[in-house]
Amino acid sequence: MVDDTIRLFLGGDVMTGRGVDTILPHPGPPELREGLVHDAREYVRLAERASAPLPRPVPPYWPWGEALGLLDELRPAVRLVNLETAVTGRGAHEPGKAVHYRMHPANVSCLAAARLDVCALANNHVLDFGPVGLADTLDALDGVGVATAGAGRDADSAWRPARVDLPGGRQLLVFAVAAASSGVAPHWAATPDRPGVAYLPEVSTAAADALAERIAAQAGPADRVLVSVHWGSNWGYDVPPEQVAFAHRLLDAGVDVVHGHSSHHPRPVEVHRGRLVLYGCGDLIDDYEGIGGNEAYRPQLRLLWLPTLDAPTGELRDLRAAPLRMRRMRLERAASAEAAWLADRLGRIGERFEVDSDGLLHRTGPPG
């Protein structure tokens, strides 16, 4: 019997710069221009104080930890994350920004270790080291066979989707856009003669309609379509009504999945007319371990989002999420109590979830 479904792995923010870069085999300069922390190695020390000492250097696959085994078990057809880090050793710090992320290009094997298919680049850190840093990022990812969406050397390439071949002659088209609400500067918008990101000055139904027109011009009748969008604040569970209207308009126009990110923790999940909206995937890899102030959100807990789509229609068949936690700057399986907490929290803020016997969170109940 032919399985006519498509399983995806959708990850939230992957920030392999700063502290993560310093523990990898080829760290870049550790100097920072932050208000309180001036050396990236301080984030490593915070993580060590919170858990235990780290080896240095770590192998490239270290930050992914046990996530790699889970992905091998679950065998998604497509692997997509939001890469919120410039991959460069050059460029000048973007002026006026409180935080800058970059990973040395020699450490791009860290991203290759997860066998990613696509990195969404439309976010508020990809140009932290200017157009030179963006160019290096595009070259580094291309060099390890990872497609990109949402940023480019001009507007045409920034708005062009990444294409991933699927069984049966189909393709998954990945469009990525960055909203001003996530902190993206207007001058980061790509133009016909300037590199940058696919920029949304506002999240509105008019913006969704314009994006839907771009999608209709690119997608074939058998293609599946995903829109990855960087939007909103870092903390809190509320979803602004304009985000809901934007997502619904895209799904009504034929998009199959809206993959939202920017929040440091998961936000509500919705199924609209049989199609999936992840309003906030939460962080996946970062150097935040040991930083206090938002413990109520348990930001050390992470999720690998694993929707399964009906291949002919794009409708959601199943949604699972593998619960992990960050410890020693490495992803490890969450404890059963942590998985139960995540399931309860997701159930409270949106769709109903329960913990399966295999340790995954599984969406239950009727679609929203």
Side-chain angles (χ1 to χ4, degrees):
M1 181 177 179
V2 177
D3 182 10
D4 209 4
T5 62
I6 306 162
R7 172 169 281 174
L8 309 177
F9 157 50
L10 305 179
D13 296 344
V14 169
M15 292 169 276
T16 49
R18 210 168 61 175
V20 177
D21 185 59
T22 67
I23 65 172
L24 291 170
H26 306 284
E31 292 81 15
L32 302 177
R33 299 189 179 185
E34 300 177 8
L36 297 176
V37 181
H38 305 293
D39 190 311
R41 291 168 292 193
E42 179 59 27
Y43 287 101
V44 182
R45 288 189 279 269
L46 286 171
E48 290 180 321
R49 284 198 288 268
S51 51
L54 283 84
R56 273 174 270 182
V58 299
Y61 55 80
W62 175 274
W64 299 96
E66 295 183 56
L68 296 180
L70 278 167
L71 289 172
D72 286 344
E73 290 174 23
L74 297 166
R75 295 185 296 175
V78 180
R79 303 182 182 204
L80 163 66
V81 301
N82 173 55
L83 179 62
E84 205 165 356
T85 300
V87 185
T88 184
R90 304 187 299 157
H93 291 73
E94 170 75 4
K97 286 202 74 184
V99 176
H100 301 81
Y101 287 111
R102 68 174 161 186
M103 176 177 71
H104 195 279
N107 286 328
V108 73
S109 54
C110 175
L111 301 174
R115 304 204 307 277
L116 300 174
D117 295 290
V118 182
C119 283
L121 299 181
N123 57 60
N124 60 315
H125 284 290
V126 74
L127 278 155
D128 277 356
F129 292 87
V132 168
L134 173 58
D136 286 351
T137 303
L138 296 169
D139 290 342
L141 292 171
D142 182 64
V144 292
V146 179
T148 59
R153 292 176 170 85
D154 54 28
D156 181 64
S157 57
W159 287 93
R160 186 183 306 136
R163 294 175 178 267
V164 183
D165 290 333
L166 300 171
R170 306 179 195 278
Q171 287 189 321
L172 176 70
L173 274 60
V174 177
F175 293 81
V177 294
S181 59
S182 68
V184 181
H187 70 270
W188 282 20
T191 69
D193 56 2
R194 184 180 67 196
V197 302
Y199 177 68
L200 294 180
E202 61 178 10
V203 174
S204 64
T205 54
D209 288 342
L211 180 54
E213 288 184 14
R214 289 180 180 271
I215 292 169
Q218 297 273 351
D223 292 334
R224 303 274 55 91
V225 178
L226 179 147
V227 173
S228 187
V229 55
H230 201 63
W231 55 7
S233 61
N234 293 145
W235 303 102
Y237 294 114
D238 290 341
V239 176
E242 60 268 22
Q243 290 186 8
V244 177
F246 181 89
H248 287 187
R249 196 68 158 237
L250 288 178
L251 298 182
D252 292 344
V255 170
D256 300 304
V257 179
V258 175
H259 167 233
H261 34 80
S262 182
S263 57
H264 291 319
H265 57 84
R267 281 195 168 134
V269 177
E270 182 184 20
V271 182
H272 173 72
R273 296 188 176 179
R275 286 170 168 77
L276 176 65
V277 185
L278 299 170
Y279 284 104
C281 289
D283 288 347
L284 187 56
I285 291 176
D286 59 32
D287 61 359
Y288 292 172
E289 185 180 356
I291 300 175
N294 290 283
E295 289 83 355
Y297 295 100
R298 299 198 186 182
Q300 74 276 17
L301 301 182
R302 314 293 164 88
L303 288 168
L304 306 179
W305 296 95
L306 296 150
T308 299
L309 309 183
D310 182 82
T313 68
E315 291 187 354
L316 182 69
R317 289 273 193 91
D318 177 74
L319 175 61
R320 291 179 173 234
L324 301 162
R325 64 164 293 143
M326 183 63 74
R327 183 178 178 274
R328 299 173 70 222
M329 299 180 78
R330 178 180 181 272
L331 292 171
E332 61 182 32
R333 290 190 186 234
S336 58
E338 293 171 325
W341 184 90
L342 276 169
D344 178 72
R345 183 53 55 100
L346 287 167
R348 289 174 182 271
I349 65 174
E351 290 282 7
R352 178 178 172 78
F353 282 79
E354 65 179 19
V355 180
D356 285 347
S357 59
D358 57 8
L360 298 179
L361 311 183
H362 179 73
R363 189 186 67 80
T364 63

